[in-house]
């Protein structure tokens, strides 16, 4: 007997697993190579009480696809959102940065791909905000909507 079992996983189960392996395992892997991890995490295989090894293979993923996988994963996990915000003066820049910092958020400008810092000049920014977890995202969104400056969340 060569094969004990065969399992198929849908793409929606596999899609964000490469970014999980990159972030947690420091392993670059393409979607198909993440299939064993996806199957285990989706509880498609009963591993209770077993010692399990998952063969993860295939680092053949181009940079554009890798970026798409990471961005999609962060968005699905509630760790990434976009905001258009007008910061009219230095006080508003500092206030916005305080909101990000206390919620462990990082903001990147989408048009110039520059990290937003307290050294930024007042103006309109279209930002991609990344956080460590959905709770931090929720905190930032709440504070942005309660703030006096003009902002639209996407």
């Amino acid at each position: 007997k060569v094969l004990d079992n065969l399992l198929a996983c849908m793409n929606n189960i596999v899609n964000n697993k490469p970014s999980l392996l990159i972030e947690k395992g420091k392993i670059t892997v393409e979607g198909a190579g993440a299939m064993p991890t996806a199957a285990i995490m989706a509880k498609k295989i009963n591993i209770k009480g077993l010692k399990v090894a998952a063969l993860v293979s295939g680092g053949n993923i181009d940079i554009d696809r890798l970026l798409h996988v990471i961005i999609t994963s962060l968005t699905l996990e509630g760790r990434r959102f976009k905001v258009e915000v007008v910061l009219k003066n230095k006080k508003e820049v500092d206030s916005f940065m305080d909101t990000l910092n206390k919620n462990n958020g990082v903001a990147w400008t989408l048009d110039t791909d520059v990290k937003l810092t307290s050294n930024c000049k007042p103006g309109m920014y279209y930002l991609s905000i990344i956080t460590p977890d959905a709770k931090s995202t929720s905190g930032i969104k709440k504070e942005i909507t309660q703030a006096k400056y003009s902002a639209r969340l996407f």
Side-chain angles (χ1 to χ4, degrees):
K1 189 173 179 182
V2 178
L3 183 65
D4 289 333
N5 196 355
L6 182 63
L7 177 69
C9 282
M10 301 299 292
N11 277 344
N12 62 340
I13 293 173
V14 178
N15 281 344
N16 67 339
K17 298 314 178 255
S19 65
L20 173 86
L21 290 167
I22 291 165
E23 183 175 27
K24 302 295 184 194
K26 311 301 184 217
I27 301 169
T28 303
V29 62
E30 61 192 66
M35 187 72 71
T37 303
I40 291 167
M41 292 184 71
K43 297 185 170 101
K44 298 290 182 183
I45 303 170
N46 182 6
I47 61 169
K48 190 172 182 170
L50 300 175
K51 291 182 180 181
V52 177
L55 177 62
V56 177
S57 65
N60 186 24
I61 184 169
D62 69 69
I63 196 76
D64 293 329
R65 178 70 181 142
L66 181 60
L67 179 62
H68 173 75
V69 166
I70 291 169
I71 289 171
T72 300
S73 177
L74 290 170
T75 303
L76 291 172
E77 293 170 9
R79 296 175 51 197
R80 177 186 177 268
F81 66 99
K82 295 179 200 170
V83 63
E84 183 180 75
V85 62
V86 176
L87 304 172
K88 297 176 188 160
N89 52 49
K90 180 67 172 143
K91 184 178 177 183
E92 287 188 358
V93 171
D94 291 342
S95 173
F96 191 82
M97 289 308 302
D98 287 345
T99 296
L100 290 178
N101 290 334
K102 77 177 178 187
N103 289 285
N104 299 311
V106 177
W108 295 90
T109 58
L110 291 173
D111 53 348
T112 58
D113 198 31
V114 173
K115 185 177 177 181
L116 189 69
T117 68
S118 57
N119 296 331
C120 289
K121 296 178 181 167
M124 176 150 64
Y125 292 95
Y126 187 45
L127 304 169
S128 174
I129 298 179
I130 299 171
T131 67
D133 52 48
K135 183 178 177 184
S136 297
T137 297
S138 178
I140 292 172
K141 285 182 174 182
K142 182 178 178 183
E143 288 193 39
I144 287 173
T145 55
Q146 293 174 348
K148 301 272 189 224
Y149 38 76
S150 172
R152 285 189 317 156
L153 301 171
F154 299 92

